[in-house]
Amino acid sequence: MRAQFVFSEIFIGLRRNLTMTIAVIVSAAVALGMLGVALLMLFQTSHMKTYWYDKVEVSVFLCTKEDPGRHPTTCASGQSTQSQMDALVADMKSNPLVQTVYTETQAEAYARYRGQGKDAAMVDYVTADQLPASVRVKLKDPSTQNIEAIRSTYQGQQGVEAVSDQKTILQPLFKLFNGLTVSATTVAVVMVGLALMLIVNTVRLSAFSRRRETGIMRLVGASNFYIRLPFLMEGAVAGLGGVAVAGLGVASFKFFLIDRVLAPSFSFTSFIGWDKVLLTIAILIPIGLVMAVGASAMSLRKYLKV
């Protein structure tokens, strides 16, 4: 087999169907780009879950002097005493699910409240005795089951106003990312289907325009694989072109949106690095090749009778 002839046929095919080839590259790029964005969002969601779930704490808030009216069952005796907090801390330290126990007095809660600058107009009207003391625990395994076990253990005890965990606060954020990932994946699947149809039509037109050369090659005894190879390579070139454009799009998504917009705006959390971008592009390369070459092979089997 002469490689020079194969490459010349590839060039001829791409040149004859330049407009369709560009359309294939663009459609493949859009499809793979959406798939790449979906993968990045999936990686980001997984990264944030790992980052935050490792830091999830369960907070047990104690009663203040104003809670008996709001929580008559657990705060009937009024503000929690230091002995109640000490007993709660001792019980938590003996709990096998608990890794670390932190305490925060009303004065410390007040200092943190003022330091955060929340509701600056109201800060002078809030006093330390209005903010609850709390006991926060870091779990060895912050799974939902363990969090619920801690909640059920301490919720309803005398002197306990409420039990909350950060995982509940984070769930809406993770649901948003999961929803965006599903939406991007759905769009990507639709675009992949459209790209496949366009590749099939492009290869079909290319095969039809070169039917004379194909007939001559068949008469001189060329094998089916030798005749099909230029068409398959054209599909591969178009697929790689789509991967290249999609890779630039994914990198731009990371550079402009994540690094320049999201990361500065949400500095309290962690975002994926460039290693995930490279991994995404590495995943897109075989997908783009299989998509383009597979569509070309199916088209040739139906329309090129060799």
Side-chain angles (χ1 to χ4, degrees):
M1 181 189 305
R2 293 177 56 188
Q4 182 179 358
F5 174 77
V6 174
F7 285 117
S8 66
E9 285 295 304
I10 295 172
F11 176 76
I12 292 172
L14 293 175
R15 186 184 61 186
R16 286 181 177 177
N17 301 281
L18 182 60
T19 304
M20 292 296 292
T21 300
I22 293 175
V24 169
I25 293 175
V26 171
S27 60
V30 172
L32 295 173
M34 291 299 301
L35 183 59
V37 169
L39 287 173
L40 280 185
M41 295 178 67
L42 183 63
F43 289 143
Q44 179 62 45
T45 304
S46 176
H47 179 78
M48 289 184 66
K49 285 182 178 179
T50 302
Y51 177 82
W52 280 108
Y53 282 0
D54 186 57
K55 304 179 186 308
V56 163
E57 295 177 348
V58 179
S59 298
V60 179
F61 296 98
L62 304 182
C63 298
T64 66
K65 65 179 183 179
E66 299 180 356
D67 284 332
R70 294 179 295 182
H71 305 279
T73 302
T74 58
C75 298
S77 58
Q79 182 169 325
S80 299
T81 63
Q82 184 62 43
S83 60
Q84 285 178 316
M85 175 181 278
D86 294 340
L88 185 63
V89 170
D91 184 66
M92 287 180 170
K93 287 183 176 180
S94 64
N95 193 312
L97 300 178
V98 175
Q99 177 178 325
T100 312
V101 179
Y102 309 91
T103 61
E104 184 178 68
T105 64
Q106 288 182 298
E108 291 170 338
Y110 181 69
R112 179 169 58 85
Y113 175 78
R114 291 187 66 91
Q116 290 175 343
K118 292 183 177 180
D119 300 325
M122 298 294 297
V123 98
D124 293 331
Y125 298 95
V126 176
T127 59
D129 57 358
Q130 292 176 312
L131 299 177
S134 62
V135 180
R136 304 193 307 274
V137 297
K138 182 177 177 60
L139 303 182
K140 296 177 181 178
D141 177 19
S143 64
T144 302
Q145 181 179 359
N146 290 343
I147 291 176
E148 289 302 319
I150 293 293
R151 181 190 294 275
S152 61
T153 299
Y154 299 105
Q155 184 73 60
Q157 284 192 7
Q158 284 299 315
V160 174
E161 174 195 354
V163 180
S164 67
D165 65 272
Q166 297 167 336
K167 196 170 185 178
T168 304
I169 300 173
L170 295 171
Q171 284 297 343
L173 179 62
F174 295 147
K175 287 182 179 179
L176 173 63
F177 273 95
N178 288 331
L180 293 175
T181 301
V182 171
S183 300
T185 303
T186 302
V187 174
V189 170
V190 174
M191 293 305 301
V192 166
L194 295 176
L196 289 174
M197 295 171 59
L198 188 56
I199 293 171
V200 167
N201 288 331
T202 302
V203 174
R204 178 187 178 186
L205 290 174
S206 180
F208 180 79
S209 66
R210 283 185 278 173
R211 63 190 182 280
R212 181 178 179 182
E213 292 92 331
T214 301
I216 294 174
M217 292 172 67
R218 187 188 302 116
L219 290 175
V220 299
S223 65
N224 288 346
F225 177 74
Y226 187 56
I227 297 174
R228 295 171 189 264
L229 184 59
F231 299 98
L232 298 177
M233 293 299 292
E234 289 173 23
V237 170
L240 287 176
V243 170
V245 177
L248 290 175
V250 170
S252 299
F253 181 85
K254 159 69 175 166
F255 182 78
F256 291 106
L257 183 60
I258 295 180
D259 291 348
R260 294 293 183 272
V261 178
L262 296 180
S265 302
F266 301 94
S267 57
F268 60 87
T269 189
S270 177
F271 289 89
I272 55 174
W274 283 97
D275 58 322
K276 296 302 182 184
V277 175
L278 296 177
L279 177 59
T280 299
I281 295 174
I283 294 173
L284 293 181
I285 290 174
I287 293 178
L289 284 174
V290 170
M291 180 180 71
V293 175
S296 300
M298 288 188 297
S299 178
L300 291 172
R301 184 173 182 178
K302 184 176 182 180
Y303 299 111
L304 192 61
K305 304 300 183 180
V306 296

